Amino acid sequence: MAEDILYKWGEIEILPTRMEKYIKQQEMNEAERERIVRARNMHLDWYHRHFAYEVLKPPADEWEPKA
Amino acid sequence: MTYQLSKKDFYAEPLTKTKAIPEEFVKEAYLVFACRHKFCRDICPNFDLTRDEAHTSYGFHTSILAVSRGVGDLERLIDDFSYCLECGACELRCPNTSMGGDFYRRSTTTVDLVRKVRRDHVADGGEIRDWAAVKDYLDEHRGFVAGQGDLVTKWAEGIKVAGDLKTALFVDFFTATQGTEVPRLAAQVLGKLGVRFGIYTTPGVTAPELLSVDDEEWKQYAAANVANFKELGVKTLVVMNPHDYALFIREYPKWFAMDDLEVVFVTDFILRTMKAKGVTPPVAVEGRFAYHDPCTLNKLVVEADSPRELVAMVPGAEIVDVMPANQWRYCCGNGNGPYRKLHEDISYRIGQKRLRAAADLGVDTILVACPHCKDQFTDVKAKAGLPVEPVHVLELLAKAMGIEWETTSPTIG
């Protein structure tokens, strides 16, 4: 997995060549990507407020990017 | 707000009765068809009432897949595509967008899909049921183009405007003819804040309805606007109607380089000017208000803060808030396209449900930031007799700024 992703502007993105075999990427700029992230956070925020008392994170060594 | 570019090139290839559906388009349909979450259903204000899955993002993509496999006929399925409000809620809740769109750079674009299928069907000689009212509306706007300069400045009688257009107000035909209170209030607030502005006088036909029949014609008007902005030296465009704002932010960058122009929604512009000048509204307006997020800001652009912040600055005013993500399932019923003209009855019921939700909060006023929402809610209130008055956020702000304004609402102040 690690060799097939990019770190761009602090975000994780799939390596574009991995997409060509199945389905093509669309034209998308950073503002659009930020819109998606913003909407996801809005939704999760609403979800957590209504259905969770605590947000659990995975252990740090499993999700933090390797140097 | 920066321009949001989201474009699928294969949408440019028209669907016809004779040619097979392009493979990339079929894969696109599979991406949604293969999903069993169906979050797009429960967030859809139309599905909420019709309970017909064919009217959802899942249904639209499945219809395309059925046509591609020869088990469906677009001539018979096209009616389903008229039941889309073009509000964008399903796109946001689709896991293809929300849980992977930023990673894969591939998202669900239902609004673009619906508009494409409608216009390809029309271009291929097909018809959309009950389209006559939409055609009349578009023809009326096309007719306005000849005298547009006078029309879009008529509301500004007695208002001082600058000789240049460095900061220009963008007022479209709908706002200039049916929502004149919005630019008039905005102009007075901006005048009070000491902002120099001019009025852009040649907006052309901006109605998103046009994208459902002829995107080339829409692009001609848009191209003329882009050329005019450059020629007239417009640096900041302050947009009155959020439907236009969403088009500037999400449609224009698909076709035009917009780097030299800053497009700002009117409430964003007023808020940042007030913050920069350290101005706070001096007059208290006591009241508890509901706030209705326009779909164009809350779902298409996903920017819902400035109207709330403006109300929060008004002494004595309180929003009994329903948070933006929870309002994705709401719409005033007008939609961001021809919906209200095609499905008057369901549109009314969607609006009625929204006003009822506001009434349940125990308020008698619902604040809006969109002239279409105000228009729709005014009709729904009169028809349903619900005790909730729609009022534009700028009307509340103007009152709090001490601006003399004959209010349309007896419930404020």
Side-chain angles (χ1 to χ4, degrees):
Chain A
M1 183 67 188
E3 66 272 22
D4 286 340
I5 55 173
L6 299 172
Y7 289 101
K8 205 179 315 177
W9 296 292
E11 301 285 343
I12 299 170
E13 181 189 325
I14 195 169
L15 203 64
T17 49
R18 288 275 290 171
M19 289 289 285
E20 288 168 7
K21 186 175 171 186
Y22 304 102
I23 197 157
K24 287 176 186 154
Q25 291 182 318
Q26 69 201 49
E27 269 189 77
M28 186 186 284
N29 68 359
E30 280 310 292
E32 172 65 4
R33 208 162 77 149
E34 283 167 14
R35 182 183 84 106
I36 293 170
V37 174
R38 195 160 61 241
R40 176 167 64 230
N41 288 341
M42 282 165 70
H43 172 66
L44 291 176
D45 185 35
W46 168 83
Y47 200 88
H48 291 147
R49 278 204 217 179
H50 285 75
F51 301 109
Y53 299 103
E54 191 180 352
V55 181
L56 303 175
K57 284 182 178 171
D61 58 345
E62 284 183 23
W63 69 277
E64 279 188 344
K66 301 277 188 295
Chain B
M1 179 57 66
T2 40
Y3 300 102
Q4 298 165 351
L5 176 63
S6 166
K7 185 181 176 188
K8 288 173 178 163
D9 288 336
F10 61 88
Y11 279 1
E13 193 172 333
L15 298 176
T16 66
K17 290 188 195 81
T18 49
K19 280 173 68 179
I21 294 185
E23 197 52 31
E24 192 66 20
F25 205 174
V26 175
K27 286 181 182 174
E28 156 104 340
Y30 259 121
L31 272 185
V32 178
F33 170 74
C35 174
R36 289 294 177 271
H37 297 96
K38 298 190 183 176
F39 295 147
C40 56
R41 274 188 334 189
D42 299 327
I43 201 77
C44 174
N46 174 80
F47 178 81
D48 201 20
L49 291 170
T50 67
R51 313 307 291 181
D52 189 336
E53 205 167 88
H55 302 162
T56 64
S57 178
Y58 180 83
F60 301 144
H61 287 85
T62 305
S63 293
I64 295 295
L65 193 58
V67 173
S68 77
R69 291 289 175 265
V71 294
D73 175 5
L74 197 55
E75 194 72 41
R76 292 170 63 187
L77 293 169
I78 192 68
D79 198 36
D80 296 329
F81 286 81
S82 73
Y83 285 88
C84 177
L85 288 151
E86 298 167 50
C87 72
C90 55
E91 294 181 3
L92 293 183
R93 281 294 280 114
C94 178
N96 289 344
T97 305
S98 73
M99 295 304 164
D102 52 328
F103 178 68
Y104 291 113
R105 293 215 169 211
R106 173 82 180 208
S107 62
T108 298
T109 48
T110 313
V111 176
D112 285 355
L113 171 85
V114 165
R115 287 172 176 166
K116 173 203 164 41
V117 172
R118 285 176 186 163
R119 66 176 176 258
D120 285 354
H121 179 70
V122 170
D124 204 23
E127 286 183 3
I128 299 171
R129 192 160 55 92
D130 298 332
W131 193 258
V134 188
K135 186 178 178 303
D136 289 348
Y137 177 77
L138 288 171
D139 283 345
E140 187 187 10
H141 280 205
R142 288 179 182 116
F144 286 155
V145 171
Q148 57 182 331
D150 294 336
L151 185 71
V152 295
T153 52
K154 202 175 173 188
W155 58 268
E157 277 172 19
I159 287 175
K160 192 180 165 191
V161 292
D164 64 85
L165 284 173
K166 205 172 160 191
T167 300
L169 305 192
F170 188 89
V171 184
D172 65 0
F173 290 145
F174 179 85
T175 317
T177 54
Q178 289 171 261
T180 49
E181 61 164 1
V182 181
R184 201 163 170 82
L185 284 162
Q188 288 177 93
V189 171
L190 291 174
K192 190 109 177 169
L193 292 170
V195 176
R196 272 173 55 88
F197 61 86
I199 302 167
Y200 180 70
T201 57
T202 53
V205 179
T206 56
E209 285 88 337
L210 198 47
L211 289 168
S212 286
V213 276
D214 190 347
D215 61 338
E216 289 303 324
E217 187 187 354
W218 183 87
K219 270 188 260 176
Q220 282 173 18
Y221 290 117
N225 279 337
V226 172
N228 288 340
F229 295 149
K230 197 165 190 178
E231 194 181 318
L232 296 167
V234 179
K235 296 288 174 211
T236 303
L237 195 68
V238 183
V239 184
M240 300 294 126
N241 185 340
H243 289 214
D244 294 330
Y245 181 65
L247 291 172
F248 276 119
I249 296 296
R250 298 191 56 76
E251 294 299 324
Y252 274 61
K254 287 179 185 168
W255 322 109
F256 309 105
M258 303 285 288
D259 298 338
D260 299 333
L261 176 71
E262 182 194 29
V263 178
V264 195
F265 185 57
V266 61
T267 53
D268 289 324
F269 187 75
I270 289 174
L271 179 69
R272 85 175 188 200
T273 307
M274 288 174 78
K275 282 182 175 172
K277 292 180 181 260
V279 176
T280 51
V283 182
V285 186
E286 300 289 337
R288 297 170 79 242
F289 308 102
Y291 172 67
H292 173 74
D293 280 302
C295 302
T296 37
L297 295 184
N298 189 23
K299 306 178 207 174
L300 290 175
V301 180
V302 189
E303 182 56 66
D305 294 337
S306 66
R308 285 180 171 79
E309 286 190 46
L310 284 178
V311 178
M313 289 171 89
V314 175
E318 180 200 346
I319 286 188
V320 187
D321 208 3
V322 175
M323 57 197 295
N326 211 8
Q327 292 209 32
W328 289 350
R329 65 197 168 94
Y330 289 153
C331 175
C332 69
N334 182 83
N336 181 30
Y339 187 89
R340 185 180 173 192
K341 297 173 192 69
L342 296 176
H343 304 292
E344 204 177 327
D345 179 50
I346 309 169
S347 162
Y348 163 69
R349 285 159 59 204
I350 293 172
Q352 190 187 22
K353 194 165 179 185
R354 178 65 187 98
L355 279 191
R356 169 58 63 197
D360 288 347
L361 294 173
V363 301
D364 56 11
T365 304
I366 185 164
L367 298 173
V368 296
C370 169
H372 298 278
C373 296
K374 170 93 188 267
D375 186 41
Q376 163 79 348
F377 282 146
T378 304
D379 279 1
V380 171
K381 178 188 181 290
K383 204 168 160 186
L386 283 163
V388 182
E389 186 75 26
V391 172
H392 200 284
V393 166
L394 292 182
E395 189 176 328
L396 175 73
L397 183 68
K399 203 161 188 80
M401 299 277 284
I403 293 166
E404 289 293 325
W405 169 255
E406 195 177 322
T407 176
T408 54
S409 162
T411 56
I412 282 194

